Amino acid sequence: MTTNSAVSLTAIPPAPVRRRAVLALLTACVFVVGTAEWVMVGLLPELSTDLHRPLPTVGALVTVYALVVTVAGPLVTLGMLGIARHRTLPILLGVFVAGSATAALATGFGVLAAARMLTALTHSTIFATALVIAVTAVPAGHRGRAIAVITAGWNLATVLGAPLGTWIGDHYGWRTTLAVIAILGAAILTATTVLVRPAAPETAGRPGGEVRELLKPRVAVVLAIIVVTQAGLFTTYTYIAPLLRQVSGFTASGITMLLALFGLGSVVGNVLGGRLADRAPWAALCALLAALATVLAAFTLTGQSRWAAAATVLVLGVIAAAVIPLLQDRALVPAPKAPTLATAVSASAFNLGVAAGSTLGGQAVTAGSSLDDLPWIGALVTLAAVGLAATAARRPTLSHEPR
């Protein structure tokens, strides 16, 4: 049996037209899975009313989903290492579709929660598998751009998928939103079985070897950078809506427009980060992390003015998104014999950073800090990520890319 381990990251790519189709399909795959996660936030009020549960209770659907993704993602990936990637993806999509359909038909909160947890089990491994398939489908020197194409699916999920899903839920009910997700997932599953094929033979490997690959210092350093970077960003971003309302003076509709502006900046930043990852990854990562710390610190002052706050939100969206392909690329490179597992673990690191940042921001506010203090607190955390990245870039044992 072929496995999805120890695959070359410079595998011979398929024909250009088919390659573009595969990349578009993988992006759509990540988009629908990301939408399934983020749309629940917008559906919580309707779920609370329809299921006769308090808002904090249905809110646990979001929290527990993220925890399952963080903890179970690498374990599920490790358990599926003995299956070839082009077979792994349809299996996972099948489970995802089944979970989404069950959630749409759920007659009670317990069934809905169980179905959501089932889909959460597939989350990290679908992303990791899609990303590694994309990387192996492109010519050498285009890895960063391939990563950017796949991570664009997450950006589109937040700026398009989740708002559209919320709109469908508001007009036609939350069950319709989840049913549409299940239908889209089924269509992608069908296309995947036809289009996705290995670009090169996949050689066998052992889970123990994959785990040992992740224990390398290079991998640990990159994971630490991911966690600290996300913690710095989400110390502020978690509370950006109340900050923009109470400090900058924006209305609810104005905040919606600004979040859309952040999303627009994210699309631009994602493309930028992918190109930089193919040219000077460590230098670009250090520069962007320094820029992120600077913009966060400046937000403490620019947040006092509407126009300055709007400009800051746009720039923040660009930089925050540009960092992601670089971080994902740096996580992939040190573990060439365990790319899928490394990607899944890095996804958990991203989620862990989000949780740490939101917790830090909440604790700061609880301790008496004002909302406009959060950006500079986040900037200080991000400076720690700058230090880690600069250290890794200067030390050959940490920055060297295995051949």
Side-chain angles (χ1 to χ4, degrees):
M1 178 184 293
T2 58
T3 73
N4 58 7
S5 60
V7 70
S8 170
L9 297 184
T10 58
I12 300 173
V17 173
R18 182 171 175 272
R19 180 171 65 239
R20 286 192 289 270
V22 169
L23 290 177
L25 176 61
L26 294 173
T27 302
C29 177
V30 171
F31 166 78
V32 74
V33 173
T35 298
E37 177 183 18
W38 294 109
V39 76
M40 195 57 63
V41 174
L43 298 178
L44 289 182
E46 186 180 354
L47 282 165
S48 177
T49 300
D50 190 49
L51 298 176
H52 308 292
R53 297 295 182 108
L55 194 59
T57 300
V58 293
L61 291 172
V62 177
T63 304
V64 177
Y65 189 102
L67 289 175
V68 171
V69 170
T70 301
V71 176
L75 298 178
V76 172
T77 302
L78 190 62
M80 300 194 74
L81 288 177
I83 306 174
R85 290 189 195 88
H86 71 284
R87 294 192 180 97
T88 296
L89 196 55
I91 292 172
L92 293 169
L93 285 171
V95 175
F96 172 82
V97 170
S100 298
T102 301
L105 299 172
T107 56
F109 180 77
V111 175
L112 175 61
R116 289 290 294 170
M117 296 313 101
L118 181 63
T119 60
L121 288 174
T122 69
H123 187 104
S124 286
T125 312
I126 286 178
F127 171 66
T129 305
L131 188 143
V132 176
I133 290 174
V135 167
T136 59
V138 300
H142 288 73
R143 182 181 61 219
R145 272 166 278 192
I147 291 173
V149 168
I150 302 306
T151 55
W154 292 124
N155 291 330
L156 291 174
T158 57
V159 304
L160 177 63
L164 183 58
T166 300
W167 182 88
I168 292 173
D170 288 340
H171 288 80
Y172 302 103
W174 61 270
R175 295 180 188 277
T176 304
T177 297
L178 298 182
V180 169
I181 289 173
I183 292 169
L184 289 175
I188 293 169
L189 167 59
T190 302
T192 297
T193 59
V194 175
L195 285 177
V196 177
R197 292 289 184 270
E202 299 176 355
T203 56
R206 297 180 178 179
E210 299 253 343
V211 173
R212 284 193 296 273
E213 190 82 352
L214 294 185
L215 296 179
K216 293 179 178 179
R218 288 188 297 266
V219 179
V221 169
V222 174
L223 293 177
I225 294 171
I226 290 174
V227 172
V228 177
T229 298
Q230 292 299 98
L233 174 63
F234 277 84
T235 297
T236 300
Y237 188 73
T238 303
Y239 297 92
I240 196 168
L243 189 157
L244 291 171
R245 178 188 289 272
Q246 298 177 31
V247 178
S248 305
F250 284 98
T251 62
S253 59
I255 293 172
T256 300
M257 292 295 293
L258 284 179
L259 293 180
L261 190 65
F262 182 93
L264 178 62
S266 297
V267 173
V268 175
N270 191 69
V271 175
L272 173 64
R275 293 188 177 277
L276 291 173
D278 288 330
R279 295 180 180 178
W282 278 113
L285 180 58
C286 292
L288 284 172
L289 289 176
L292 180 60
T294 301
V295 172
L296 284 172
F299 203 0
T300 299
L301 300 176
T302 59
Q304 310 294 328
S305 164
R306 290 188 181 183
W307 284 106
T312 303
V313 168
L314 174 61
V315 175
L316 190 62
V318 173
I319 298 174
V323 167
I324 292 176
L326 284 157
L327 289 171
Q328 195 67 69
D329 176 76
R330 293 299 85 194
L332 190 60
V333 168
K337 296 180 181 179
T340 310
L341 187 57
T343 304
V345 171
S346 67
S348 292
F350 275 104
N351 279 279
L352 180 60
V354 171
S358 60
T359 300
L360 176 60
Q363 291 295 323
V365 172
T366 301
S369 297
S370 61
L371 288 171
D372 55 355
D373 287 330
L374 296 182
W376 69 256
I377 295 174
L380 290 177
V381 176
T382 306
L383 282 177
V386 176
L388 285 172
T391 300
R394 287 196 303 267
R395 295 182 60 182
T397 56
L398 295 179
S399 61
H400 173 67
E401 298 194 12
R403 297 294 180 184

